[in-house]
Amino acid sequence: MEHSQEQVIDYGDGIHAIDTGLLRHHFDASYLIVENGRAAFVDTGTALAVPRLLEALESRGLSVKAVDWVILTHVHLDHAGGAGALMQHLPNAQLVVHPRGARHMIDPTALTAGATAVYGEAAMRETYGELVPVPADRVIEAPDGHVVELAGRRIVCLDTPGHARHHNCMFDARSRAVFAGDTFGISYRETDCADGAFVIPTTSPVQFDPDALKASIARLVGLSAEAVYLTHFGRVDCVEARSRELMEQIDEMVKLAHDSHGQPDRHAWLVERLGALYAIRAARRHCPLPAATVIELLSLDIELNAQGLEVWLDRQHGARER
């Protein structure tokens, strides 16, 4: 597996992962796909990542005029926060996004307000930069099955909810690979095992739906893809084996959510048990890191997964009460 700290990783088949620099090395990726001198970005990272993306383009001998597409998996800021700023540099590019996310790219006011409410104005600027609107005539809504043509290379957009309702994955027929955003979980290279990547699911604090997520993962497996490219972070092989692990963990996480109901400090209870779950699973896969280090590395993801499970659980109980 790839352990380089390089800013750009070349995976072959014209696929390059660009480390956007968010939070730490190899946490957040934008992908550059190159075909016959034409290019597309899949996800952009934050607005602060734009110089890195432009440098990667130049380092591959491509001008900004060679970029035909900026394709978003979904509009969470670590995936799409830089889309508007990047589009300002790409005169020929169109933005491709799930129909539910298009309005937020045209008018990012709600995204900015939501993130500012969570992080505060100063931290928002420091972590994500400024969200720039994309002109409506440069935005293409991509419903399920929408095909993007990159110099004859077919990239199919697949509606894959579960992490978010506005999530698409992209199947690249040329490489037989999927650009999965957050649908196929997260996997950091530090936790790689002798027999491949260690993956965990990722919820979102608002729209997590375990049944939909499992169905989306199953759909990706049904493509017989040779690899999955994750925004967090990089290429994952052995797709079917990793999918089984994700499915099992989703079920275990849902059980923890139900078990947490009525706990005096539900959030802390969930954080502790999610950390233990992932540490046990990593050890079972003979991950080279000790349990404490696994939990520390995944601390942000554990926090967000706990929040996502809590929102989902409250929604389930609210539905029952109605």
Side-chain angles (χ1 to χ4, degrees):
M1 302 294 288
E2 177 63 60
H3 287 277
S4 168
Q5 293 297 325
E6 292 179 2
Q7 191 167 300
V8 182
I9 303 168
D10 182 358
Y11 288 108
D13 288 320
I15 298 170
H16 312 268
I18 305 163
D19 184 347
T20 70
L22 178 64
L23 299 182
R24 59 178 174 82
H25 280 305
H26 291 184
F27 173 78
D28 186 69
S30 169
Y31 289 96
L32 174 65
I33 307 174
V34 181
E35 183 74 13
N36 293 325
R38 307 306 299 175
F41 286 102
V42 178
D43 284 349
T44 67
T46 71
L48 303 178
V50 170
R52 288 184 176 224
L53 274 55
L54 297 176
E55 287 169 17
L57 198 63
E58 184 179 2
S59 73
R60 268 57 191 171
L62 297 167
S63 79
V64 292
K65 295 180 180 180
V67 180
D68 293 328
W69 307 104
V70 174
I71 309 169
L72 301 178
T73 60
H74 60 303
V75 302
H76 291 165
L77 299 190
D78 50 336
H79 297 256
L86 180 63
M87 291 287 287
Q88 290 181 327
H89 295 273
L90 307 177
N92 298 324
Q94 295 286 103
L95 183 81
V96 179
V97 62
H98 192 286
R100 290 179 181 270
R103 63 187 177 90
H104 293 294
M105 293 292 95
I106 296 166
D107 179 6
T109 304
L111 290 179
T112 300
T116 302
V118 172
Y119 301 110
E121 189 172 342
M124 169 67 183
R125 282 198 307 269
E126 182 180 345
T127 305
Y128 297 107
E130 181 184 359
L131 272 64
V132 176
V134 180
D137 61 359
R138 299 185 70 188
V139 175
I140 295 176
E141 296 188 9
D144 188 52
H146 179 86
V147 177
V148 176
E149 291 274 359
L150 177 66
R153 182 172 181 160
R154 288 171 57 85
I155 301 170
V156 183
C157 300
L158 305 172
D159 185 20
T160 43
H163 173 80
R165 289 193 293 270
H166 55 275
H167 199 299
N168 276 336
C169 290
M170 290 79 200
F171 180 65
D172 173 32
R174 165 89 154 71
S175 64
R176 295 210 57 80
V178 175
F179 295 87
D182 282 342
T183 294
F184 207 80
I186 60 173
S187 177
Y188 302 126
R189 302 287 59 82
E190 296 95 326
T191 61
D192 283 349
C193 310
D195 60 346
F198 173 65
V199 294
I200 71 167
T202 173
T203 76
S204 60
V206 180
Q207 296 183 348
F208 174 60
D209 182 333
D211 292 335
L213 184 56
K214 289 170 67 177
S216 293
I217 293 169
R219 186 179 187 191
L220 298 184
V221 173
L223 299 169
S224 299
E226 295 179 5
V228 176
Y229 290 96
L230 309 181
T231 302
H232 310 291
F233 178 97
R235 177 183 171 117
V236 168
D237 300 305
C238 305
V239 176
E240 191 169 349
R242 301 293 82 84
S243 73
R244 288 195 296 270
E245 294 166 0
L246 287 169
M247 299 281 203
E248 291 167 0
Q249 289 179 75
I250 292 168
D251 288 343
E252 290 170 328
M253 289 163 61
V254 166
K255 184 179 185 307
L256 284 178
H258 286 303
D259 290 348
S260 74
H261 185 59
Q263 293 290 336
D265 189 341
R266 182 179 66 177
H267 182 75
W269 190 95
L270 268 173
V271 165
E272 180 181 353
R273 279 155 182 79
L274 286 171
L277 169 64
Y278 304 140
I280 290 167
R281 284 221 159 236
R284 195 178 299 166
R285 286 284 313 284
H286 305 291
C287 172
L289 302 179
T293 305
V294 170
I295 293 170
E296 181 180 3
L297 183 71
L298 297 176
S299 59
L300 174 60
D301 303 294
I302 291 168
E303 170 66 27
L304 292 175
N305 280 359
Q307 292 180 23
L309 288 170
E310 288 179 283
V311 172
W312 172 80
L313 185 66
D314 289 344
R315 195 161 60 237
Q316 303 311 299
H317 283 280
R320 289 193 193 104
E321 287 167 6
R322 289 196 298 274

